[in-house]
Amino acid sequence: MSSPRFVSSPPPPSGDAVQRRPAKSRFTYKQLSQLANYSTTTPLRTIAHVDLDAFYAQCEMVRLGVDKDQPLAVQQWGSLIAINYPSRKFGIGRFNTAAEAKALCPDLICQHVATWKEGETKWAYHDDSFKNMGSHKVSLDPYRLESRRIMATFKETLPKDFQRIEKAGIDEVFIDLSAQVHSILLDRYPELSGPPPYDDPSECLPWPSGSVIDWQADNVIDLDSKETEIDDPDWDDICLAVAAEIARDLRKAVWDKLNYTCSAGLARNKMLAKLGSATKKPNGQTVVRNRAVQQFLSTFKFTKIRNLGGKLGDEAVAMFDTDLVSDLLKLPIEQLKRLGDDTGSWLFETIRGHDQSEVNPRTKIKSMLSAKSFRPPINSFEQGVRWLTIFAADIFSRCVEEGVLENKRTPKTINLHHRHGGSVRSKQIPIPQGKTITEKILLDLSKNLLAQVVVEGRCWPCANLSLSIGGFEDNVIGNMNIKGFLMSAEQMKQIQEKGSLEEDVESDSEDEKARKRQKTEDHGIKRFLGGGLSRQASSDKPEPEVGTLQETSNGYREVDGLNVCVKCGEIIAEDDQTEHADWHFAKELDEENNHAIINSRPQINQQKTTPGLPAGKSRGRSGAVSRAKVEKGQQRLMFKNG
Ligand code: TTP
Ligand code: CA
Ligand code: CA
């Protein structure tokens, strides 16, 4: 691929009229010094959001060595999950099936994601995987691996002392550049190094020397209507210009080293930076100056803002009969509080461009999960074990890659979720401590868990299995005795012979019920937003506290750091959410076609209200669904009857 441009286009109009300006900057010494310790309140705060362009598609382009202009899409079963920019010119999007996309662009390369084949212990790119949804499981390892290399490149490129990076998804990061920008400012602008007049930190700073900013190729958002470009830049503009240089360097490093393009947004907070990075794709960066915030935001539908993409956004649209930020800005806070006091206040602040959420470097993994929905369902212990073999290998390889073993951060528990008809059973067991985890240990434990389910009887056919490890969360099983889980030799023999044990127990244990009750309680907006009004949902998860439950914007709740599907209560790995959503979508379609009644779900699934929203207002897409309405994160898919 030839190198994309990272430099040089004319700066925005800066006018040459002579302006009268106040004697001093609008910003104080204190506000400047607060940059050094990542204050979330200083108006000079400088945040970057960097997002890879058409990420999975770029991974495949690099892996396959195709030309940068070659249209390529990444396929998962019959759907497309990533579309590179050359193919977007043909009007291809995630809403198209692979077949439709091929019709639009016969030259399109449709690369299927790698898969694990039932019973195998290594994923691979299989030519026939798209026909074998029943016996393959998607592996996103190739993309995780690339994601890690990209993260490492960001870290190598940033100075050692300034690495406040939050991985906000497989292909995006927030970086708090405040402290680095502060240090660069002190180096470059000698007028900042002296003490404040009268040693008073509330004194205003002097103006920056030299007032023309070279924005190079950056997309610089126009100023609000009451501001004028001929105003000299103040320190907030300088901070963003320095941040833009850093972002340009980061993007260039990723290109030079790994051949990926990404886009960036620079602004005073995460919300604005994230909106910014999506503004000039691919391979562009956008600066949202403080004086341009209102203008910038007013161009958006508020449903594009973090946290407002899901049910909360839908709710607000229905309540106020508009999806425009500009319309909501006219409403007094009392009106917005019809969504609830906290939600209303949060919304009021958000549409004004305020967001004090921290960039939260989450270096430690809390849990890992590997799962598969079976269409057709599986019917025997042996078949289950073949999938557990994959799950154990999958989880183990992630343990190794994440360095969990070296860090001796061994997980404490292993959990299995098993769905049969409308009921989900969960089994947990402690992972023996004191010895290094191996793939075999994980597999043996998971077999034990499956055997426990089988012992209880009535478990076939099984429509979904998921295996997770945790322990940095409060996933422990309280005072239950490990012996209680172990089967007798006689029981094990029976399973091996018959594939199951007939027993008449289907209901949850009291412990299980209590656990579920606990998790479905307390759904205020504070929970929804992770305890702070500006904390985030799916794409921007805070570390959940023990036992917390959070609604994410894409149909998942976060419980103890795991993503629980709001529709069925299953725990779904982040990377498998799309696949799982597909399953629901296909199932709903199928049910719609057959006029079937949706199976009753266990208690955890039956929550009808959206956390933080008034009762009875949930707008989930349960029951009938129209094919036209495909949500973000949701793909269309051919449903095969089991
Ligand atoms: P995004 O960053 O949302 O999209 P993108 O990188 O493909 O394209 P853009 O240039 O607009 O940023 O998602 C990152 C990857 O996550 C994407 O390449 C594939 C995967 N993904 C899915 O599998 N399903 C989905 O519905 C979405 C939104 C993403
Ligand atoms: Ca992206
Ligand atoms: Ca992204």
Side-chain angles (χ1 to χ4, degrees), residues 554-565:
N554 58 354
Y556 295 88
R557 275 188 312 240
E558 200 170 289
V559 180
D560 293 345
L562 298 173
N563 297 301
V564 177
C565 173

Side-chain angles (χ1 to χ4, degrees), residues 132-202:
N132 293 303
M133 196 166 167
S135 56
H136 287 238
K137 170 177 158 50
V138 166
S139 169
L140 300 180
D141 273 9
Y143 312 132
R144 281 198 203 104
L145 235 60
E146 291 308 288
S147 174
R148 220 159 278 142
R149 297 171 72 200
I150 292 163
M151 276 295 279
T153 305
F154 287 148
K155 288 190 174 151
E156 283 160 21
T157 310
L158 291 169
K160 256 204 335 290
D161 298 338
F162 303 117
Q163 305 238 332
R164 185 158 298 205
I165 308 180
E166 173 179 331
K167 195 163 195 279
I170 193 163
D171 77 331
E172 60 193 270
V173 291
F174 288 104
I175 311 176
D176 193 331
L177 295 172
S178 301
Q180 187 180 353
V181 165
H182 177 260
S183 130
I184 292 173
L185 288 189
L186 293 192
D187 273 358
R188 282 192 198 166
Y189 295 87
E191 65 265 39
L192 295 178
S193 30
Y198 322 110
D199 267 338
D200 178 359
S202 66

Side-chain angles (χ1 to χ4, degrees), residues 533-577:
L533 282 178
S534 40
R535 302 291 287 277
Q536 289 302 316
S538 62
S539 62
D540 184 17
K541 275 181 248 140
E543 298 246 315
E545 291 147 31
V546 168
T548 57
L549 180 153
Q550 296 181 317
E551 177 79 10
T552 66
S553 61
N554 58 354
Y556 295 88
R557 275 188 312 240
E558 200 170 289
V559 180
D560 293 345
L562 298 173
N563 297 301
V564 177
C565 173
V566 290
K567 291 201 170 141
C568 66
E570 263 174 55
I571 293 181
I572 305 297
E574 198 165 339
D575 294 336
D576 292 329
Q577 286 179 8

